[in-house]
Amino acid sequence: MSARQTQTSQRGESASQDVVGIGFGPANLALAIAIEEHNGRSEHGSALRSAFVERQEHFGWHRGMLIEGATMQVSFLKDLATMRDPGSRFTFLRYLQDRGRLADFINQKSFFPTRVEFHDYFRWCAAEFTDRVAYGHDARLIRPVERDGVIDSLDVVTRPVHEPTGSAEQVLRARNIVLATGLRARLPEGITAGEHVWHNQDLLFRAAELKERPHRRFVVVGAGQSAAETADHLHRTFPDAQVCAVFSRYGYSPADDSPFANRIFDPHAVDDFYGAPQETKDALLGYHGNTNYSVVDGDLIEELYRTTYQEKVSGTERLRILNATALTAVEELPDGVRASVRSLTDGETYTLDADAMVFATGYRAVDPRELLGELAGECLTDELGRLRIGRDHRVLTTDRVRAGVYLQGAGTEHTHGITSSLLSTLAVRSGEICDSLLLRRTEREVRAEHDVLAGLDAGTATADDGLAMPNA
């Protein structure tokens, strides 16, 4: 390694942290809470020092899909703390009490708050950590810091998002990092987002900006929850427009939220999955993909069906379900977009000119090795080239790496199961990572003490040898 890669520039360098979290969405927010509560129970010397980097200017979670009335698909009890510590001051119930709505929420007789309310709960929690989060900063590179052939810490090189490319870098040095950078919007191959072509993650922002609508039509591509919510939202928001829902299935598939299937989201299910042979892991992901992927809440399916039926009765069909249909081409128009589609049953092709086209085509995990630089070469992989990850969510590395690299998110689904990118186990997982950080710090302190004692023993032996020589 070059000196540039093994030394930290003095400008912008901060004191070493026990952990630096990259990304400050719900996952690392839950970790910040777990660390905060550990520190509150501990003596000063055993506290964990933490800092976080977030490219957004302030806390935000899927803000482009905070559709009015849309509810969570998970119980409020699967918040950022309850499953780890029901007595935490960061639970959703404590939030409701603070906001003066606890009794009102109970009277709803529902386990599922709106997405808008749960986002406000996240912001309420995040407000406690403003002094530990560098908002508006982008992590550019993780740079290993080597000493005596061992990588015992890491430099997180950051830069303000909205400053010129040549602006001064800032560096956070850490003994451990936790990567929770979220998911990246996925568009079909050959499709590029533009003025009239959106991914659903930008729905609310882009729809609000749409002033001219000469075609009075929207096209929504996708068959999952986000696609159904997008179609419903556009249909309600633009009462003069037609909404065409395009997907290759014959109909929206309902999500399996039955009690036994939901056990796949329990904390102990992570242990079962992690210890299972690969063929069992693959089978479980296949069996229970319909709890989360490309499925729609049953109530929303029924609502959309009622809408299409009532419009048939009235003779004005604004919500068109183009099932068993494939998108074959997208063409930008001066005042909109043209979608070419083909029926999968009879092969008929036709075009739809629209004011905007929304792709609710999901997300993909970001490969953490994009950020790890040379450190990626120290990470161990399995036979499929995927990162090997310990039960404590730490990436397994070569022996010369003593700094810890932890992952939160979809990048661990192959080892930890379907909950990896979901909210269900955030509270428990954050506690597991916090415990691992504490254990590794203890191991580091024991190793350092051992090295000191070994050095003293070596010095004593040398002195004894020197005294003995004249007497030989």
Side-chain angles (χ1 to χ4, degrees):
M1 278 181 204
S2 67
R4 178 179 175 81
Q5 292 166 320
T6 59
Q7 295 180 5
T8 301
S9 60
Q10 294 304 310
R11 174 179 286 187
E13 181 180 342
S14 68
S16 179
Q17 303 285 336
D18 289 298
V19 59
V20 168
I22 300 173
F24 199 66
N28 269 346
L29 173 55
L31 176 61
I33 291 170
I35 292 173
E36 174 77 3
E37 295 189 328
H38 160 75
N39 290 348
R41 297 187 300 266
S42 307
E43 297 179 358
H44 178 71
S46 62
L48 286 170
R49 291 171 296 175
S50 62
F52 299 86
V53 179
E54 170 56 51
R55 71 184 328 273
Q56 295 184 99
E57 295 294 337
H58 49 78
F59 184 89
W61 175 70
H62 295 302
R63 288 181 291 126
M65 284 295 289
L66 296 179
I67 297 172
E68 183 179 359
T71 58
M72 300 291 293
Q73 269 72 59
V74 297
S75 165
F76 71 87
L77 293 171
K78 294 183 177 181
D79 57 26
L80 300 176
T82 296
M83 296 285 281
R84 175 179 50 81
D85 177 10
S88 167
R89 67 185 179 92
F90 290 96
T91 66
F92 182 73
L93 291 179
R94 292 292 292 271
Y95 155 80
L96 288 173
Q97 185 182 48
D98 184 72
R99 289 286 198 252
R101 295 198 304 269
L102 181 57
D104 294 331
F105 182 85
I106 293 172
N107 288 336
Q108 288 190 125
K109 300 180 181 180
S110 173
F111 274 86
F112 306 103
T114 65
R115 200 173 296 156
V116 169
E117 184 174 31
F118 220 64
H119 183 266
D120 189 57
Y121 157 66
F122 287 153
R123 292 176 57 191
W124 177 81
C125 292
E128 292 289 317
F129 303 97
T130 303
D131 61 334
R132 271 156 279 182
V133 185
Y135 286 109
H137 282 71
D138 194 18
R140 311 289 293 183
L141 179 67
I142 306 300
R143 198 160 55 205
V145 179
E146 186 176 340
R147 183 178 59 185
D148 299 329
V150 173
I151 298 171
D152 60 359
S153 57
L154 304 168
D155 282 343
V156 180
V157 182
T158 72
R159 182 181 296 149
V161 172
H162 298 298
E163 290 191 14
T165 303
S167 59
E169 293 179 341
Q170 299 175 6
V171 176
L172 288 167
R173 179 163 289 184
R175 296 187 179 92
N176 305 275
I177 61 171
V178 181
L179 299 171
T181 53
L183 300 168
R184 189 171 293 168
R186 179 171 55 201
L187 293 172
E189 187 175 356
I191 303 298
T192 303
E195 184 178 357
H196 301 283
V197 177
W198 317 330
H199 187 275
N200 70 274
Q201 70 172 0
D202 299 318
L203 174 64
L204 296 186
F205 308 131
R206 303 304 298 272
E209 297 170 354
L210 196 61
K211 304 303 181 184
E212 301 295 329
R213 296 187 294 107
H215 304 287
R216 298 294 190 270
R217 177 185 286 141
F218 294 93
V219 175
V220 179
V221 179
Q225 180 73 22
S226 294
E229 288 180 355
T230 297
D232 179 61
H233 173 75
L234 292 172
H235 184 268
R236 289 186 288 105
T237 304
F238 299 96
D240 62 341
Q242 183 183 79
V243 178
C244 299
V246 177
F247 48 84
S248 58
R249 299 185 178 198
Y250 208 79
Y252 292 114
S253 298
D256 184 357
D257 61 353
S258 57
F260 288 110
N262 271 346
R263 285 180 170 178
I264 198 72
F265 303 118
D266 291 350
H268 72 77
V270 178
D271 290 323
D272 294 339
F273 189 92
Y274 188 85
Q278 187 60 51
E279 58 270 21
T280 302
K281 291 178 179 176
D282 294 339
L284 288 173
L285 290 173
Y287 293 150
H288 297 291
N290 65 345
T291 59
N292 181 58
Y293 296 117
S294 298
V295 289
V296 183
D297 177 74
D299 290 341
L300 180 55
I301 292 176
E302 293 182 8
E303 181 180 339
L304 291 173
Y305 189 86
R306 282 193 298 269
T307 297
T308 59
Y309 180 76
Q310 291 165 2
E311 289 184 348
K312 283 183 179 181
V313 172
S314 67
T316 305
E317 296 184 46
R318 287 201 306 113
L319 180 58
R320 293 180 60 192
I321 305 298
L322 304 181
N323 59 345
T325 299
L327 177 71
T328 59
V330 176
E331 178 187 355
E332 286 272 7
L333 303 175
D335 58 357
V337 60
R338 174 169 295 161
S340 298
V341 299
R342 176 175 57 85
S343 170
L344 297 176
T345 55
D346 61 19
E348 180 184 357
T349 62
Y350 49 97
T351 60
L352 299 166
D353 290 354
D355 300 303
M357 193 170 183
V358 186
F359 285 89
T361 46
Y363 299 83
R364 63 180 178 86
V366 179
D367 190 336
R369 286 169 287 194
E370 295 177 11
L371 190 61
L372 293 179
E374 281 201 25
L375 187 62
E378 305 288 344
C379 299
L380 305 183
T381 57
D382 63 16
E383 63 278 5
L384 298 178
R386 302 172 300 191
L387 290 174
R388 292 177 58 192
I389 303 166
R391 178 59 186 84
D392 62 351
H393 311 280
R394 183 172 58 88
V395 177
L396 303 185
T397 61
T398 60
D399 290 340
R400 76 190 202 95
V401 179
R402 293 181 182 172
V405 177
Y406 292 80
L407 288 188
Q408 297 209 67
T412 66
E413 187 175 272
H414 65 287
T415 55
H416 289 69
I418 203 168
T419 63
S420 294
S421 61
L422 306 178
L423 301 178
S424 298
T425 58
L426 282 190
V428 174
R429 185 170 75 204
S430 63
E432 292 171 346
I433 294 175
C434 182
D435 288 345
S436 179
L437 293 170
L438 291 166
L439 178 62
R440 287 177 58 77
R441 184 172 68 178
T442 299
E443 291 173 348
R444 188 183 303 111
E445 291 170 350
V446 170
R447 186 184 300 115
E449 184 177 352
H450 176 271
D451 290 344
V452 169
L453 293 175
L456 291 174
D457 289 344
T460 302
T462 301
D464 288 344
D465 289 345
L467 290 172
M469 285 176 65
N471 298 326

